Amino acid sequence: MALLSVVSYQTVLKHLQETKMKSFVVICLFALVAIASARPENSHYTDRYDNVDLDEILSNRRLLVPYINCVLDLGKCSADGKELKAHIQEALEQNCEKCTEAQKSGTRKVIGHLINKEADYWEQLKAKFDPEHKYVLKYEKDLRIVAGH
């Protein structure tokens, strides 16, 4: 009878160990999936403001100047101004890698407008975000195309 108890105990113990191992593997798989899905592989900046009418803003200094002042820390920021300000340095450094197509197109339009029609503000923005001129030089060809030169 004692032999039967030992065999039963060993069988139960082996089953528990296999169950624990299977549970551990399942938990690890779930953790791996959670980590992988939480990691922003191909993340983009929010597209919430992609439909803003840039032509209206660029053609109206009353609308444009507050955005510029926000980015330059010279005035209050709207929600979309805060979003722009939060990501402008990273976007500049990473060639707008996380930008949507609408943001890339809008950036070119805004830069062209600033270079051509708001040179003073353009100089202030360069001084703040690119004092060493490494990005202006890096993207000079694109900037000249945007500016129409």
Side-chain angles (χ1 to χ4, degrees):
M1 185 112 166
L3 182 60
L4 184 60
S5 294
V6 170
V7 171
S8 295
Y9 174 74
Q10 288 177 343
T11 305
V12 169
L13 185 60
K14 185 177 178 184
H15 178 71
L16 284 174
Q17 288 174 338
E18 288 174 357
T19 304
K20 282 182 182 178
M21 187 60 156
K22 288 178 184 175
S23 296
F24 178 73
V25 169
V26 168
I27 289 170
C28 287
L29 286 173
F30 277 122
L32 185 61
V33 168
I35 290 168
S37 64
R39 200 176 88 213
E41 291 278 339
N42 201 7
S43 66
H44 286 88
Y45 301 127
T46 183
D47 62 354
R48 188 176 329 146
Y49 304 107
D50 282 9
N51 295 320
V52 170
D53 187 349
L54 291 177
D55 291 325
E56 180 183 3
I57 294 169
L58 295 175
S59 67
N60 185 337
R61 287 184 56 85
R62 186 181 58 79
L63 298 174
L64 176 63
V65 171
Y67 280 102
I68 295 171
N69 285 338
C70 163
V71 171
L72 290 172
D73 296 321
L74 299 174
K76 292 182 180 180
C77 295
S78 62
D80 48 342
K82 285 179 187 175
E83 188 74 27
L84 171 66
K85 184 177 170 180
H87 300 294
I88 196 167
Q89 188 69 45
E90 179 186 55
L92 179 64
E93 291 169 0
Q94 297 180 2
N95 196 22
C96 220
E97 186 177 290
K98 294 181 182 179
C99 296
T100 65
E101 287 306 313
Q103 291 162 353
K104 289 177 183 178
S105 172
T107 298
R108 295 179 64 79
K109 181 181 283 195
V110 170
I111 289 172
H113 178 85
L114 292 171
I115 289 171
N116 288 316
K117 299 186 178 178
E118 301 290 346
D120 290 340
Y121 284 126
W122 176 244
E123 291 302 318
Q124 290 177 53
L125 289 164
K126 284 193 320 186
K128 177 175 177 140
F129 293 102
D130 191 16
E132 297 172 9
H133 301 287
K134 56 184 175 179
Y135 303 113
V136 171
L137 294 176
K138 182 178 178 181
Y139 307 124
E140 186 173 6
K141 182 178 178 185
D142 286 340
L143 294 175
R144 286 186 180 182
I145 292 169
V146 170
H149 291 101

